Amino acid sequence: MTGPLQHPGYDEEKLRKIAELLPCREVQAELLLSLMGQPEHRSYPAIFIYGHRASGKSHTINMIMKELELPHVMVSCVECLSVALLFEQVLLSFFGADAAALLPRGPSLSDFVRIYRQQCSDSPAKQTRYIIMEKAEMLRDTDANLLPALLRLQELVEDNVSVILLSEIVWDKFRPNTGCFEPLLFKCETILEQILSKDRHPSYSAEFYSSYINILLGVFYSVCRDLRELRHLAALNFSKFCEPLEEGKAKESDTHKLWRNIEPHLKKAMRTVYLREVSSLQWEKMQEMEEKEAGAVRGLSAHTHVELPYYSKFLLIAAYLASYNPARTDKRFFVKHHGKIKKTNFLKKNEKTSNHLLGPKPFPLDRMLAIFHSVVDSRVAPSASIFSQISSLVTLQLLNQASHDDQLDAPKYKCAVSMDFICAISRTVNFDIVKYLYDFL
Amino acid sequence: PCPLLCEAAHCTSGVFVLQIQSCKRERDIHLLELLRRTALHGESNSVLLVGPRGAGKTMLLKSVLKELLKEKDVNKTLMQVHLNGLLQTDDKIALKEITRQLHLENVVGDKVFGSFAENLAFLLEALKKGDRSSSRPVLFLLDEFDLFVHHKNQTLLYNLFDVSQSAQAPIAVVGLTCRLDVLELLEKRVKSRFSHRQIHLLSGATFPDYVQRVQSKLWLPEQFPDQRFAHEWNNSVKVGLRVTVAKPCIKPADVLEASRVCFADAKANMLHGLSILELCLIIAMKHLNDVYEGEPFNLQMVHNEFKKFLQRKSSTIYHFEPAVVMKAFEHLQQLELIRPLDSPGARTQREFQLMRLLLDTSQIMEALQKYPQCPTDVKQWAMSAFA
């Protein structure tokens, strides 16, 4: 869209300021302004704006409302646990605290509409009032009548009010069963490169920063398009990118050297900061430390790797084998002299039923103990200490109880650890678990 | 000329979208007659207006009421009560609203009534003034009538229809609903008291009719100041809403563009904003659906399918940690493109929870065609018949 934002009824100066604050969103701002029309005119009763996270839905609307000083109320549906909070906020913003105080305890939609009508007959709207609801998908979980009523609010209160819904989820999932007043749908596009380039550090040139952004996007673009995440990552890693420059090892134009410096760092960031394994603070500290020491920082999921006692490890291995091997194969794996087993029946498996894709199966306690006794190398007496270790495994959530708490005589369990974890454990006890797994025969 | 135009457009109709008005002259007259009989001759009536959303039920009612209230006698005596199924979700709330709209709050005061019927009878009794032999006629307009049907015991409806059948007071009950099967929802005793009078509003307009009506709505009157502009304007047809200062005249291209904006498939649009990894996961799910005929899948299966694709390609760009794939999968779940089969219990690990894909194959393929800068190997993988 060429040319500045123009619209009758709004101050030119303010429109120019909006165009500055919303750098790459002229098209969307233009469309919104044309939908809103002049302030004294009635707008479309309901508008639905959807788009991915951080695609500028709230930002655009907020900027327009603030700069043009239109009467509006911004409600986040996450905060409105009950509809009373929503009604209070709306009445408070449009008519003041006295109106909000008129709401009875536990107000219904009927009360809200009645009070609104009373108030707006006293103070009618000179300009269109806007009710903007963020995270509108939460409205679907409230009373069934709230969403259709909000869409028709202009008709119900007979006032110049317009409801704007912002959501990540498409409108098709909102529609009530018997239909409702259809809002105007409007999509916000995500804009990445231009907005990211605007965050540049003042002491470096714009081209330098945009080359940095290009490298960053090269690593992360195929995984994530969320503007907030990318800005966060850009801010965190910029100092590391500038390191060679500060140390004098490279110049701004040595893109290849800079790239070689930063790329493994970014890949590491994808494994840690992006997944929130380490916090941003820890990440910044890691950057300052030497590379050799940096490996010592543990991510969040490292905390699940607890040191288990010797027999507990074997119990866990036995549980894993019991979960992922079908019961009919136990004889072949765990009995010393199993004789001849027909290969054809045994090996008949197709990929779909591979247990490693479907998930662990529940097994009775006896089976696990049988496997345990066959797997452990020394003779172990079934004592209370063994059984108590099983309970602690359940508490650590390495095993899940698959039967009801009431069943005491034949409890069933499921193994809840991943393949990598159990391989690591088996290595520490010198046990080759892959040999005993049916799926890897 | 543009500001004047906008003003004209916005002021004449509060409704922005043009609704199809079916030819309803005889229905107008029929409804008007019915309501006039209640207002003037003390006859009780009940009628239902049935029609799809946007067919013009509220508009019809408004125009009939306007017509009715032109007569002085009617204007003086008729009382109206407007109820809406969305607002009055309970019979108690409905009764309070009726009391309020009949301006009888002071009369009722703090009285406690045994039943709904008593309360309603008291209200109608209170409308009798002085030495009048019968009470004033009341018009009950029930919007979203099908929602009143879900109240407990359908008390409100039962009592209203009961009063309309008995000789207590002249009332008219007009219900507006979009459900064709609304009569089946009524209880037997309520249904028997209803007069079974229904007015159906079905828009049978064809496209040329529609165009003509749109044109007549947008036609500028002769009084419009700038004649030349009015003439230019009248020469074009508008379905969209994009009138800005920069483009004061409507051209067919605008119509097409506006229609593209209005009818865009929202889900396909959302697919364009996904990252490549997420797109690959969706393609993997599509292949799983094709091979296993729509059976639910979990993350491990999808990841396995994706790894098979990567093995064939041997490019290192797409090798990601399982945790990164999990994050992408969860993002898809948040966008409600996939849905878990049952509520997530603590018993199943996240990787093994069964899900369903909520996208159609055609939607995926269409979105892929328009996906900006889609890598060719991903596209080819999507189109190949064998995963």
Side-chain angles (χ1 to χ4, degrees):
Chain A
M1 207 79 202
T2 55
L5 285 177
Q6 283 181 52
H7 208 89
Y10 299 113
D11 192 17
E12 283 240 356
E13 187 57 43
K14 293 187 182 167
L15 286 175
R16 216 192 325 256
K17 191 145 181 243
I18 292 181
E20 274 172 43
L21 288 168
L22 300 171
C24 317
R25 299 198 184 275
E26 282 95 27
V27 183
Q28 288 161 2
E30 181 99 32
L31 190 53
L32 265 177
L33 282 173
S34 67
L35 282 178
M36 281 159 42
Q38 294 195 32
E40 311 83 55
H41 297 155
R42 288 195 170 223
S43 296
Y44 201 72
I47 302 175
F48 183 79
I49 304 182
Y50 67 101
H52 284 276
R53 269 182 281 175
S55 57
K57 311 182 283 289
S58 317
H59 182 69
T60 320
I61 280 275
N62 237 336
M63 285 296 122
I64 292 181
M65 292 290 154
K66 285 223 172 82
E67 287 306 318
L68 296 177
E69 287 165 14
L70 296 170
H72 72 285
V73 57
M74 198 95 170
V75 180
S76 174
C77 297
V78 177
E79 293 173 355
C80 295
L81 290 176
S82 71
V83 287
L85 294 166
L86 167 66
F87 298 153
E88 256 182 62
Q89 275 189 296
V90 174
L91 288 175
L92 190 65
S93 297
F94 288 161
F95 304 112
D98 308 326
L102 285 174
L103 274 175
R105 200 110 69 87
S108 65
L109 194 54
S110 181
D111 295 317
F112 170 66
V113 168
R114 177 175 49 89
I115 295 177
Y116 194 109
R117 284 177 94 129
Q118 274 174 6
Q119 293 297 320
C120 81
S121 60
D122 295 334
S123 52
K126 290 188 272 305
Q127 294 181 322
T128 317
R129 295 183 174 131
Y130 293 96
I131 302 180
I132 303 162
M133 309 190 71
E134 289 183 335
K135 292 257 186 271
E137 59 261 21
M138 311 238 119
L139 284 176
R140 298 178 296 174
D141 304 325
T142 57
D143 304 329
N145 64 335
L146 187 60
L147 183 61
L150 281 173
L151 294 170
R152 284 187 177 272
L153 197 62
Q154 195 181 86
E155 194 186 310
L156 291 173
V157 302
E158 284 165 14
D159 185 30
N160 191 3
V161 66
S162 179
V163 176
I164 302 182
L165 300 170
L166 306 173
S167 173
E168 219 183 9
I169 311 225
V170 298
W171 173 249
D172 301 323
K173 295 193 185 272
F174 279 75
R175 211 176 270 128
N177 279 338
T178 47
C180 59
F181 183 77
E182 294 282 323
L184 275 180
L185 303 180
F186 180 71
K187 173 152 205 257
C188 266
E189 300 290 340
T190 321
I191 300 177
L192 279 184
E193 270 201 60
Q194 291 130 310
I195 298 188
L196 282 173
S197 319
K198 292 210 179 259
D199 283 335
R200 64 188 195 86
H201 207 256
S203 45
Y204 297 100
S205 67
E207 298 86 48
F208 180 66
Y209 196 77
S210 52
S211 67
Y212 168 58
I213 292 292
N214 272 331
I215 297 175
L216 182 81
L217 285 178
V219 175
F220 280 99
Y221 191 62
S222 49
V223 167
C224 164
R225 302 257 173 118
D226 189 351
L227 182 64
R228 278 186 217 133
E229 295 238 27
L230 290 172
R231 279 178 94 172
H232 183 62
L233 288 163
L236 277 182
N237 294 306
F238 190 57
S239 51
K240 178 83 182 178
F241 186 66
C242 301
E243 222 177 56
L245 266 136
E246 314 225 322
E247 291 168 4
K249 287 188 199 157
K251 297 193 298 289
E252 277 198 13
S253 44
D254 279 340
T255 38
H256 189 67
K257 240 195 208 159
L258 293 168
W259 181 79
R260 263 210 327 231
N261 176 45
I262 194 72
E263 211 228 353
H265 195 75
L266 287 177
K267 287 235 151 71
K268 198 156 133 207
M270 189 177 332
R271 283 198 307 269
T272 49
V273 173
Y274 177 63
L275 297 173
R276 312 283 191 273
E277 290 271 323
V278 299
S279 70
S280 324
L281 195 59
Q282 278 177 302
W283 181 248
E284 282 172 349
K285 282 205 199 124
M286 272 165 72
Q287 287 181 88
E288 285 160 25
M289 294 191 307
E290 286 290 324
E291 249 109 50
K292 294 154 277 211
E293 298 168 24
V297 178
R298 302 167 71 200
L300 267 182
S301 42
H303 288 281
T304 56
H305 290 243
V306 287
E307 262 309 311
L308 293 172
Y310 186 70
Y311 285 147
S312 287
K313 291 185 187 170
F314 277 104
L315 279 170
L316 194 59
I317 291 172
Y320 191 84
L321 291 170
S323 278
Y324 285 97
N325 283 348
R328 61 193 160 92
T329 59
D330 282 350
K331 193 167 174 212
R332 185 241 183 258
F333 283 121
F334 304 115
V335 173
K336 289 224 167 29
H337 306 284
H338 53 260
K340 270 189 150 159
I341 306 248
K342 287 210 190 78
K343 280 263 163 121
T344 46
N345 262 353
F346 190 71
L347 286 176
K348 189 170 69 178
K349 54 179 167 135
N350 51 359
E351 193 189 67
K352 183 186 170 194
T353 56
S354 159
N355 281 328
H356 278 83
L357 291 183
L358 290 175
K361 301 262 171 6
F363 55 84
L365 181 62
D366 297 337
R367 187 173 160 217
M368 178 175 102
L369 287 175
I371 296 179
F372 171 67
H373 285 292
S374 114
V375 148
V376 128
D377 40 8
S378 50
R379 289 177 67 93
V380 183
S383 63
S385 62
I386 300 288
F387 286 107
S388 66
Q389 288 181 34
I390 299 179
S391 302
S392 14
L393 284 177
V394 174
T395 322
L396 286 171
Q397 295 196 344
L398 298 170
L399 290 186
N400 285 331
Q401 199 163 4
S403 63
H404 205 257
D405 283 333
D406 292 346
Q407 274 180 305
L408 289 175
D409 49 349
K412 286 196 176 177
Y413 296 96
K414 258 201 246 192
C415 187
V417 298
S418 64
M419 179 77 180
D420 302 324
F421 188 82
I422 205 75
C423 284
I425 295 233
S426 345
R427 260 196 301 262
T428 65
V429 291
N430 277 333
F431 182 77
D432 185 7
I433 191 164
V434 177
K435 220 169 44 175
Y436 288 85
L437 281 172
Y438 177 63
D439 288 328
F440 294 98
L441 263 188
Chain B
C2 198
L4 290 168
L5 173 65
C6 289
E7 232 180 79
H10 284 262
C11 291
T12 48
S13 58
V15 181
F16 217 134
V17 163
L18 307 163
Q19 291 180 344
I20 301 177
Q21 297 173 38
S22 39
C23 175
K24 43 180 174 47
R25 286 286 0 151
E26 65 272 7
R27 292 179 190 127
D28 263 12
I29 297 170
H30 182 52
L31 188 59
L32 186 59
E33 260 316 299
L34 216 62
L35 296 180
R36 187 186 279 128
R37 287 209 297 266
T38 306
L40 295 175
H41 306 300
E43 193 186 290
S44 288
N45 281 312
S46 50
V47 65
L48 269 185
L49 288 176
V50 183
R53 297 226 177 244
K57 307 182 285 290
T58 319
M59 285 178 76
L60 166 63
L61 197 57
K62 279 206 184 115
S63 70
V64 165
L65 276 179
K66 210 163 72 167
E67 208 46 51
L68 191 64
L69 291 171
K70 278 188 189 155
E71 300 182 32
K72 247 203 337 199
D73 298 331
V74 175
N75 209 347
K76 268 200 298 189
T77 61
L78 184 66
M79 302 214 69
Q80 295 179 42
V81 174
H82 294 255
L83 296 176
N84 193 317
L86 289 174
L87 300 177
Q88 279 83 44
T89 46
D90 202 332
D91 286 335
K92 269 208 273 280
I93 303 177
L95 200 51
K96 267 205 261 190
E97 192 61 28
I98 297 176
T99 317
R100 210 171 278 131
Q101 291 196 22
L102 291 176
H103 308 300
L104 291 173
E105 281 132 313
N106 296 330
V107 178
V108 168
D110 287 326
K111 273 205 185 60
V112 174
F113 295 98
S115 73
F116 191 99
E118 267 184 45
N119 202 338
L120 190 62
F122 179 79
L123 290 174
L124 291 173
E125 187 73 27
L127 287 177
K128 288 188 189 171
K129 278 188 177 169
D131 46 310
R132 265 170 163 233
S133 49
S134 68
S135 77
R136 293 168 64 171
V138 185
L139 182 54
F140 285 93
L141 299 163
L142 303 174
D143 224 333
E144 311 282 345
F145 183 80
D146 45 293
L147 294 177
F148 284 106
V149 156
H150 296 300
H151 292 185
K152 184 160 177 281
N153 288 341
Q154 299 182 358
T155 353
L156 174 70
L157 295 180
Y158 172 71
N159 283 295
L160 283 179
F161 287 142
D162 196 35
V163 170
S164 77
Q165 292 289 65
S166 63
Q168 279 180 46
I171 67 168
V173 182
V174 182
L176 288 88
T177 176
C178 63
R179 289 184 67 157
L180 282 174
D181 62 342
V182 64
L183 279 189
E184 269 124 59
L185 300 169
L186 292 173
E187 272 183 30
K188 205 173 82 156
R189 56 178 187 153
V190 180
K191 198 161 154 184
S192 60
R193 283 169 173 77
F194 174 53
S195 69
H196 283 79
R197 206 179 273 115
Q198 292 183 58
I199 300 180
H200 287 271
L201 286 108
L202 303 162
S203 54
T206 56
F207 186 64
D209 276 342
Y210 180 68
V211 166
Q212 200 213 30
R213 281 186 198 123
V214 165
Q215 269 187 336
S216 63
K217 269 275 175 180
L218 287 172
W219 209 261
L220 288 172
E222 268 93 48
Q223 304 96 339
F224 198 77
D226 191 342
Q227 275 301 317
R228 185 194 62 90
F229 180 77
H231 184 69
E232 262 183 58
W233 174 269
N234 286 340
N235 284 338
S236 46
V237 177
K238 169 181 168 188
V239 177
L241 307 132
R242 297 200 62 165
V243 185
T244 60
V245 174
K247 312 203 292 188
C249 231
I250 317 267
K251 297 186 199 62
D254 293 336
V255 176
L256 284 175
E257 210 208 306
S259 70
R260 187 182 57 81
V261 168
C262 284
F263 297 130
D265 184 8
K267 271 191 189 164
N269 268 346
M270 292 297 274
L271 281 179
H272 292 160
L274 291 178
S275 65
I276 305 264
L277 174 61
E278 288 155 2
L279 194 66
C280 288
L281 287 180
I282 291 202
I283 297 173
M285 288 178 216
K286 165 188 164 297
H287 282 300
L288 279 177
N289 272 342
D290 287 337
V291 174
Y292 297 120
E293 279 159 22
E295 278 192 32
F297 49 79
N298 59 29
L299 171 62
Q300 284 291 94
M301 294 188 212
V302 176
H303 197 183
N304 197 36
E305 194 70 31
F306 181 48
K307 280 198 271 212
K308 286 200 293 193
F309 162 64
L310 293 179
Q311 273 165 10
R312 286 204 304 274
K313 289 300 141 186
S314 78
S315 61
T316 49
I317 314 178
Y318 299 136
H319 281 112
F320 299 115
E321 304 254 312
V324 176
V325 176
M326 178 93 215
K327 188 161 173 173
F329 198 71
E330 281 178 348
H331 184 217
L332 289 177
Q333 195 178 348
Q334 223 180 7
L335 287 176
E336 294 197 6
L337 293 172
I338 54 180
R339 183 175 59 93
L341 226 51
D342 44 22
S343 57
R347 304 296 172 102
T348 38
Q349 293 163 271
R350 281 181 313 170
E351 301 91 71
F352 296 114
Q353 191 162 45
L354 290 174
M355 310 261 184
R356 267 196 206 284
L357 183 63
L358 295 177
L359 289 170
D360 200 36
T361 314
S362 55
Q363 277 176 314
I364 302 175
M365 298 314 284
E366 201 189 300
L368 266 180
Q369 296 304 324
K370 302 199 198 121
Y371 189 85
Q373 297 157 346
C374 181
T376 36
D377 44 4
V378 171
K379 250 196 206 163
Q380 277 171 351
W381 177 39
M383 292 197 262
S384 66
F386 305 103

